């Protein structure tokens, strides 16, 4: 069982005024990122679909910067 990754939360406002939650996985790396990744969960999930998995950690290990987005009405995003 994996340990959940530490996250920094941001809010992104859509053009119609809805606040969506966006999280950056806190990387344990040094230097500039080689690539940035935005992972979006499935319809019946939230950010936890990725925070307890291996994909974000592996992308960071490969030098990436990882963000997790939550759809409207999921997790901390407004409906």
């Amino acid at each position: 069982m994996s340990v959940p990754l530490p996250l920094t939360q941001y809010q992104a406002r859509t053009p119609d005024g809805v606040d969506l939650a966006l999280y950056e996985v806190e990387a344990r790396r040094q230097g500039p990122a080689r690539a940035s990744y935005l992972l979006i969960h499935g319809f019946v999930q939230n950010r936890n679909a990725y925070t307890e998995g291996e994909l974000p950690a592996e992308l960071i290990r490969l030098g990436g910067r990882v963000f997790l987005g939550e759809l409207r009405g999921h997790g901390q995003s407004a409906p």
Side-chain angles (χ1 to χ4, degrees):
M1 184 173 185
S2 300
V3 174
L5 297 168
L7 304 174
T8 300
Q9 183 176 353
Y10 303 97
Q11 293 292 325
R13 181 154 290 185
T14 64
D16 61 348
V18 175
D19 288 327
L20 301 178
L22 178 68
Y23 300 86
E24 182 174 7
V25 179
E26 293 183 20
R28 297 177 185 102
R29 60 168 164 68
Q30 293 182 359
R34 296 175 65 203
S36 295
Y37 302 94
L38 174 60
L39 305 178
I40 305 292
H41 59 78
F43 183 68
V44 295
Q45 301 171 318
N46 61 23
R47 71 190 170 283
N48 294 330
Y50 292 111
T51 59
E52 297 175 5
E54 297 298 321
L55 181 59
E58 184 64 17
L59 293 172
I60 290 168
R61 187 187 72 73
L62 294 171
R65 188 173 180 191
V66 179
F67 296 88
L68 309 176
E70 289 192 311
L71 300 173
R72 291 176 186 231
H74 295 263
Q76 299 298 311
S77 289

